Amino acid sequence: MKDAHPHATSSSKPTSVESVRASASHALDTTTASVRDLTGKAASGIEANPMSALVGGIALGAVVAAFVPRTAQEARLLATVGQRLSNTAYGAVDAAKDTAKSELGVLGLSRDSARDQASRILEGVIKAISTAALAALTAANDTSAAKKAPTGE
């Protein structure tokens, strides 16, 4: 007698559906394990060097922001935040300039002292070149005079 279900197969041979299901299950297990490993490695990397992670996150955010267009609502909501960040950044830069100028002043380094020192160095270089040129001319004249002088024979 024939089977009532013509598409039924014996249990010893897997059907193509079972084969696909097994492959998909294996792929899912492998992917899940890979994601867990990558997550663990990423967490370890962040713990080891949080500043790199922060810089990388900021860079990634900047790249995404450059390619994703801003909506009108985002522009309206973020305008005040952007202005506040901009003002804070300018204030920080000004404070850093003032502090640097103050610290350099304490060390005796200023624009005028740097100019004076550069001037002294330039004068020293010019003097060294002049002295070297004079020595070269003197040596050339001495050699020329020695060749012209009669020998004592």
Side-chain angles (χ1 to χ4, degrees):
M1 179 170 178
K2 290 187 177 181
D3 288 341
H5 300 287
H7 298 295
T9 61
S10 65
S11 61
S12 63
K13 280 180 136 180
T15 64
S16 61
V17 172
E18 291 170 342
S19 177
V20 169
R21 188 174 288 151
S23 294
S25 177
H26 177 69
L28 180 63
D29 292 342
T30 303
T31 304
T32 302
S34 296
V35 168
R36 282 189 186 128
D37 289 345
L38 287 173
T39 303
K41 288 178 183 177
S44 297
I46 290 171
E47 287 175 6
N49 200 346
M51 288 305 291
S52 292
L54 177 65
V55 170
I58 290 171
L60 180 62
V63 168
V64 168
F67 290 109
V68 176
R70 186 186 315 183
T71 65
Q73 185 177 5
E74 286 175 324
R76 184 174 38 85
L77 291 173
L78 297 176
T80 57
V81 173
Q83 186 63 40
R84 203 171 336 138
L85 286 174
S86 178
N87 291 342
T88 302
Y90 282 122
V93 168
D94 289 341
K97 282 182 189 177
D98 292 343
T99 302
K101 284 180 184 178
S102 173
E103 290 297 318
L104 290 174
V106 168
L107 295 173
L109 299 173
S110 67
R111 187 175 285 173
D112 293 334
S113 68
R115 188 177 300 126
D116 291 343
Q117 190 171 7
S119 177
R120 278 184 266 141
I121 290 171
L122 183 59
E123 288 172 4
V125 168
I126 291 171
K127 184 177 178 181
I129 291 172
S130 298
T131 304
L134 184 59
L137 285 173
T138 303
N141 286 338
D142 290 346
T143 305
S144 176
K147 287 183 181 178
K148 289 182 183 178
T151 57
E153 294 179 16

